Amino acid sequence: GVGFAPRTEDGRVTGIVVQPQGDGAALRAAGLRPGDVIRSVGGRPIGSASDAASLANQLSPGARISVEVERGASVVPIALILSK
């Protein structure tokens, strides 16, 4: 599984921190790494806790989701394709 936690700066949500759950296999299979911060989903910036909930709702088998991830000092585009 994959866990999500909002990242806040000055009381504002600025992204979603990705955390592994269990052995982390689902996280790696999606192309994500522990500590990645999802900054946008489908071109829409993450700006609230409800955006995190919206992302979780989109994670269904067979879904294709484009995200922009902050990984260290880099920003990496990732196309998530979830297995069925």
Side-chain angles (χ1 to χ4, degrees):
V2 181
F4 301 102
R7 177 183 70 177
T8 58
E9 293 175 5
D10 297 326
R12 208 170 62 81
V13 175
T14 59
I16 301 169
V17 180
V18 178
Q19 304 163 329
Q21 305 215 322
D23 66 3
L27 185 81
R28 288 189 303 278
L32 297 169
R33 297 181 188 163
D36 280 354
V37 179
I38 298 173
R39 296 176 11 146
S40 68
V41 178
R44 294 176 48 202
I46 301 295
S48 70
S50 65
D51 290 337
S54 174
L55 173 62
N57 291 337
Q58 293 179 51
L59 298 179
S60 59
R64 298 174 72 104
I65 305 166
S66 65
V67 297
E68 185 178 75
V69 172
E70 193 176 296
R71 183 175 287 161
S74 302
V75 176
V76 181
I78 295 177
L80 300 178
I81 302 171
L82 304 179
S83 59
K84 292 184 178 182

